[in-house]
Amino acid sequence: MKDKLLNLLFRYGAVVVIIGVIAYFSLTLPYFFTYDNLSDILGSIAIVTFVAIGVTLSLIVDGFDLSVGSTVSLTTVASASLMIWYEQPVYIVILASLAIGAVIGLVNAFMIVKLRIPDLLATLAVMYIVSGMHKTYAQGYTIYNHMQFPDGTKAPGEIPTSFLLLGQGRWLGLPFSVVLLIAAVILVHVFLTYTRYGRQMYVTGGNEEAARLSGIKVKKVRTLAYVASGLFAAIAGILYASRVGSGQIDAGAPLLMEAVAAVFVGFSVLGAGKPNVIGTFVGSILIGVLVNGLTMMNVQYFAHDIIKGIVLVLALSVTFYVLNRRRA
């Protein structure tokens, strides 16, 4: 009976907690369970979930990407500056931002795959470098429409409406960023579950030497995982700039830990016991619902991290306790 109960908690615990939290807030707060508020919750988690998808991909190949938050900050500042300082069209801004994310991913992969630096150390170093780069580039200023420079001149451009639609627009009643997120979750899930390359990522992460002996090009697989992580962080940076309408320094700093929390909560979703994009999405929803409900209850913002930490501890405790019992 104890094993059956643990397995049920392992498979459905996160989903049950989400339903329970939504039910509690719905009964307590009259405006919580409304279409507008629920769509706002999804809109608020879109950016952090894109970051979390990148972290998920790096974890699948037995790595870890600490540089995703700094990548968000750099692409946020870069995309805003291209439009406001240099008056570049939206498609150039998007392509340049994605290229920045891919280059950061390649740098991470070179250090980890080629130089054999441990992933935590390599991505930590890149995190600091990229963080310093974006602050130096912006000179410590938030980039906004027609901003004034220290010499008294003003920036010639502004962020166009077509770019703002990515983070602020709606389609069929849903925030456009949520539509993009759902499409990304479905595509990544299909890629990881039903394609040869997705299965190779899991095999590589499970046992790199066995994967290499079976003919899998493990270096290429790990490189692509880190490039994809950088690309998803860049998408999050683009959406962040679009959502707030400016380029804020350190925009991605708080996103790393929330993304990591969502990924590890997702380990227990439907009994996966491993990094998976559906679990990551569910974990992001749980954290988004908690933050929204606590905010509506006027709980002090600095107490939110305590609640999120407790939820993460409970999810990880059940997950790894069951996994260790299975191995034993």
Side-chain angles (χ1 to χ4, degrees), residues 56-81:
T56 301
L57 294 174
S58 66
L59 282 170
I60 287 174
V61 296
D62 195 29
F64 198 87
D65 191 354
L66 290 174
S67 66
V68 287
S70 295
T71 303
V72 172
S73 299
L74 179 58
T75 50
T76 298
V77 167
S79 59
S81 67

Side-chain angles (χ1 to χ4, degrees), residues 1 8 21 40 147:
M1 180 62 69
L8 284 174
V21 169
D40 285 343
M147 63 179 291

Side-chain angles (χ1 to χ4, degrees), residues 126-142:
V126 172
M127 179 187 75
Y128 280 117
I129 294 170
V130 174
S131 178
M133 287 174 60
H134 94 270
K135 292 174 185 175
T136 302
Y137 175 71
Q139 294 296 305
Y141 296 105
T142 293

Side-chain angles (χ1 to χ4, degrees), residues 56-286:
T56 301
L57 294 174
S58 66
L59 282 170
I60 287 174
V61 296
D62 195 29
F64 198 87
D65 191 354
L66 290 174
S67 66
V68 287
S70 295
T71 303
V72 172
S73 299
L74 179 58
T75 50
T76 298
V77 167
S79 59
S81 67
L82 285 172
M83 291 176 286
I84 294 171
W85 292 356
Y86 305 109
E87 299 182 285
Q88 294 299 308
V90 172
Y91 75 94
I92 293 292
V93 172
I94 293 174
L95 290 176
S97 299
L98 293 176
I100 290 171
V103 169
I104 294 173
L106 282 172
V107 172
N108 283 329
F110 175 77
M111 296 173 66
I112 295 165
V113 176
K114 190 71 174 178
L115 301 182
R116 308 296 292 179
I117 300 174
D119 51 285
L120 287 175
L121 299 179
T123 56
L124 179 65
V126 172
M127 179 187 75
Y128 280 117
I129 294 170
V130 174
S131 178
M133 287 174 60
H134 94 270
K135 292 174 185 175
T136 302
Y137 175 71
Q139 294 296 305
Y141 296 105
T142 293
I143 301 173
Y144 53 91
N145 292 343
H146 303 296
M147 63 179 291
Q148 186 169 341
F149 296 118
D151 61 1
T153 61
K154 289 188 176 182
E158 61 181 33
I159 297 178
T161 304
S162 57
F163 182 81
L164 295 176
L165 286 175
L166 292 173
Q168 302 176 15
R170 288 180 173 266
W171 186 69
L172 298 179
L174 282 175
F176 192 68
S177 58
V178 175
V179 177
L180 292 176
L181 174 62
I182 293 173
V185 169
I186 293 173
L187 289 174
V188 174
H189 175 69
V190 170
F191 171 78
L192 292 174
T193 308
Y194 300 106
T195 68
R196 177 166 61 94
Y197 299 106
R199 291 191 290 269
Q200 285 181 355
M201 290 179 67
Y202 277 111
V203 173
T204 300
N207 190 321
E208 184 174 332
E209 183 62 19
R212 185 184 65 81
L213 293 174
S214 66
I216 296 175
K217 298 178 180 179
V218 294
K219 290 185 178 181
K220 180 180 179 181
V221 170
R222 300 198 76 199
T223 297
L224 291 177
Y226 279 101
V227 171
S229 179
L231 285 172
F232 277 106
I235 294 172
I238 293 169
L239 291 177
Y240 196 105
S242 176
R243 185 178 177 87
V244 303
S246 62
Q248 298 183 4
I249 60 171
D250 276 339
L255 298 180
L256 172 61
M257 298 314 298
E258 290 196 10
V260 171
V263 172
F264 283 112
V265 168
F267 271 44
S268 63
V269 174
L270 301 180
K274 60 184 180 182
N276 67 99
V277 71
I278 298 297
T280 295
F281 182 49
V282 173
S284 294
I285 292 175
L286 174 57

Side-chain angles (χ1 to χ4, degrees), residues 11-20 269-270 282:
R11 290 183 63 84
Y12 306 111
V15 177
V16 171
V17 168
I18 290 176
I19 295 173
V269 174
L270 301 180
V282 173

